[in-house]
Amino acid sequence: MGIILRVTVPQLLEAALASFQAQILPWIAHPNRMPELVAEFPRFKYTMGDVRRAGEALATDLIWTDETAETIRQVFRIANNWRDSHAYPMSKIRYELSGQIRRNKIAGGFTMARLKRMPSVRRKLRAISSHLNQVQDLAGCRAVLPTIEDANALITSMRHNSLHTLHREDDYIIKPKPDGYRSHHMVFKFRGKGDDEVYNDRRVEIQIRTRLQHSWATAVEAVGLFRREDMKAGQGNPEWLRLFRLMSSEFLLIEGCAEADGERRDRVAEIAALNEQLNAVQTLEDLRQAVMITDNYVFDPRNKPDYYLIRYDRNSNSVKVDPQYGPMYAVQSYDNAESIDPSATNGRFNTVLVEVDDIENLKAAYPNYFGDVELFRNRLIEATGVDPAKFKLEPQPSAPQRPREKPDFSWLHKWKRW
């Protein structure tokens, strides 16, 4: 005897709508991001002992010779594979971060994610006593938000609502680092179920900051790239480093994270003096004009890439952006880009793989690579009281438009039916 199900039209419509919202709407919002399978991401292929030994080797000066080349390549294979195995947890946590921004109805914010550059990994291993498998920011996500209130709301939301385990938290917004760096750091241990469990306990660092804090951090990196100094690590011209520390104190005051004090007048005077000494405002404008961008990202708008490989050439101050489709292909391209013998290029290239929703967010997330220091520059002008018109470029003449031609339809009259 058959079973008769009585389903009304409204019930069918309700079920269809629920399926549409759960499965189709996310794809419409991000058509290039179909639900990703674990199998599409790199898996870890070695042992933790291999990772520790590779980390110990990376912390030393690796001398490339015919005899050592293959051993060094194997060290990088292991280290790259360990780093790349964080791509899936990184992508999942970034989506969670974006979801929390939407739930808090924060407008104007964006997220991005990146796997740590291998030269940065090596510098970190030389500076700390931890092993490679203990480095907490091999995978990093970042949220940049309009205001300090937005940042605090997202921090609270991630602290209490994340599906993953909060491992560590550092508030550098209220208590900046000695160099002036400000951002809120949260390290999460990935927690997955089923096929995802293979990535459990991978650590992903989240940085939550305001646009103003982001402008400071990326200006430090941009000037460092331009001057070939690792200012992010506190190395380089002491006057520039001092200027950035003082501007950080100004930003702390602007965002209401510090009380105005009697030292501000002296601070502003010192900022003005350093700007005069370094010609800082003009240098920032020159930097913006100097960077040439190779926009190599022509793609089908219905199938936008999720990853971009940024390659900055210090010799020519040029930037090349290559789209990458699919996580496996993306991390392989990243590994290949970093596999060049560094002694042959003398640190010429700075390469990073970024996961971001679109190219405009890429430029907003990494303005340092594109010479975009306008927000920091404007704040510096305000602090020094310099006339901004002094640094404006004269309008550039543009080529006149080609005159419109009257179309010739005479060929129509010559057409004859066969």
Side-chain angles (χ1 to χ4, degrees), residues 126-352:
R126 293 188 184 110
I128 63 177
S129 58
S130 300
H131 295 290
L132 177 57
N133 61 300
Q134 297 171 319
V135 174
Q136 304 192 65
D137 64 342
L138 289 179
C141 301
R142 181 178 295 155
V144 179
L145 308 168
T147 68
I148 195 73
E149 291 78 16
D150 294 332
N152 288 335
L154 182 58
I155 291 164
T156 300
S157 188
M158 287 300 297
R159 186 184 293 137
H160 298 295
N161 301 319
S162 177
L163 299 175
H164 308 282
T165 303
L166 181 59
H167 174 66
R168 178 174 175 173
E169 191 169 3
D170 295 291
D171 186 358
Y172 299 120
I173 290 180
I174 301 299
K175 297 180 180 178
K177 288 187 176 183
D179 62 358
Y181 172 85
R182 296 174 64 223
S183 184
H184 194 95
H185 289 200
M186 308 174 85
V187 177
F188 285 90
K189 285 186 176 181
F190 179 80
R191 305 306 301 170
K193 297 179 181 179
D195 292 341
D196 291 7
E197 289 183 6
V198 69
Y199 296 105
N200 277 355
D201 293 326
R202 294 288 193 279
R203 298 171 189 175
V204 178
E205 182 184 79
I206 292 176
Q207 298 176 1
I208 299 174
R209 59 174 65 159
T210 66
R211 280 192 190 136
L212 196 59
Q213 294 159 19
H214 189 56
S215 75
W216 183 95
T218 53
V220 171
E221 294 190 44
V223 174
L225 277 173
F226 195 61
R227 293 177 55 86
R228 294 197 175 207
E229 296 172 342
D230 191 5
M231 290 188 169
K232 184 179 177 180
Q235 301 171 12
N237 182 285
E239 284 77 27
W240 270 106
L241 294 172
R242 176 65 177 167
L243 177 64
F244 283 121
R245 282 197 296 273
L246 294 171
M247 285 299 295
S248 176
S249 297
E250 280 295 289
F251 288 1
L252 199 69
L253 190 64
I254 290 170
E255 293 189 320
C257 298
E259 297 289 337
D261 53 38
E263 297 178 358
R264 184 166 188 262
R265 179 176 295 180
D266 293 337
R267 180 169 64 241
V268 171
E270 188 177 354
I271 289 172
L274 285 169
N275 174 59
E276 192 73 24
Q277 178 184 346
L278 298 168
N279 199 14
V281 173
Q282 187 61 57
T283 299
L284 292 170
E285 177 61 21
D286 292 344
L287 189 157
R288 188 175 70 85
Q289 297 294 323
V291 176
M292 297 178 295
I293 304 171
T294 304
D295 285 344
N296 187 25
Y297 45 79
V298 178
F299 44 73
D300 183 349
R302 296 167 299 177
N303 186 30
K304 293 182 180 180
D306 302 312
Y307 299 88
Y308 296 88
L309 193 67
I310 306 175
R311 190 174 178 86
Y312 181 89
D313 186 336
R314 291 185 176 92
N315 286 2
S316 61
N317 288 327
S318 62
V319 178
K320 182 179 181 182
V321 179
D322 287 315
Q324 306 292 318
Y325 296 87
M328 294 289 281
Y329 179 80
V331 297
Q332 185 60 58
S333 298
Y334 194 21
D335 294 347
N336 291 342
E338 290 192 323
S339 66
I340 300 174
D341 180 352
S343 64
T345 58
N346 194 28
R348 173 180 173 181
F349 298 106
N350 186 309
T351 306
V352 65

Side-chain angles (χ1 to χ4, degrees), residues 6-61:
R6 297 186 182 276
V7 182
T8 65
V9 171
Q11 287 173 326
L12 285 172
L13 290 174
E14 184 179 353
L17 179 61
S19 176
F20 177 82
Q21 290 174 329
Q23 300 181 42
I24 306 301
L25 276 183
W27 180 76
I28 291 175
H30 299 285
N32 55 314
R33 295 305 297 261
M34 292 294 289
E36 292 167 319
L37 302 175
V38 177
E40 296 176 359
F41 286 82
R43 295 286 187 99
F44 181 51
K45 299 185 295 186
Y46 300 93
T47 68
M48 285 301 166
D50 293 331
V51 173
R52 284 191 290 270
R53 286 187 290 272
E56 291 168 0
L58 289 174
T60 65
D61 293 327

Side-chain angles (χ1 to χ4, degrees), residues 104-119:
N104 283 277
K105 298 180 180 179
I106 299 172
F110 65 87
T111 65
M112 51 76 63
R114 66 92 182 102
L115 293 172
K116 196 173 186 71
R117 298 174 52 249
M118 196 51 64

